[in-house]
Amino acid sequence: MSNHVTFNLNGTMVTAQPGETIRECATRLGIEIPGMCSGLNPHYPNDGSCRLCMVEIAGERTLSASCKRTPTEGMEVSTTSERSETTRKMVMELLLSDRPIYEPSTYTPANRFYELSEAMGVESTRFTPRPDNEAPDSS
């Protein structure tokens, strides 16, 4: 008996390896889903907390973090739906509001956060930024 699961990813039937998350499967197939956790950034734990990798699953009311969700047989997943893309951009805006204001002169190529925000087309936030002299919320 195989543990492989076949599911629909962006309109194409794909097979996930045993224990593979939706995001891992998508990455293996060349489909990029934004995200900061899952070992990509040491400042974000591997617990799905960044919420940048949200995807839409047919029949489910809420979006799901693709870095933590494993596919099930026949599941229909969209990484490119308007709802998932809009949500990911809003999450990036919220994350930007809790960081120092982006200064291109201090940017380094190793700064994955700002690199990702730029790639997503989110370079500013409509939310009130945290003052630079205020300690970040550690809760």
Side-chain angles (χ1 to χ4, degrees), residues 54-70:
M54 302 299 277
V55 295
E56 189 164 12
I57 299 172
E60 295 190 5
R61 184 179 60 82
T62 60
L63 298 178
S64 189
S66 65
C67 69
K68 287 300 188 190
R69 184 74 181 266
T70 55

Side-chain angles (χ1 to χ4, degrees), residues 92-100 113 125 127-131:
M92 179 54 84
E93 283 189 62
L94 287 165
L95 292 171
L96 275 171
S97 73
D98 194 42
R99 297 188 58 99
F113 180 82
T125 179
F127 303 105
T128 305
R130 173 180 54 86

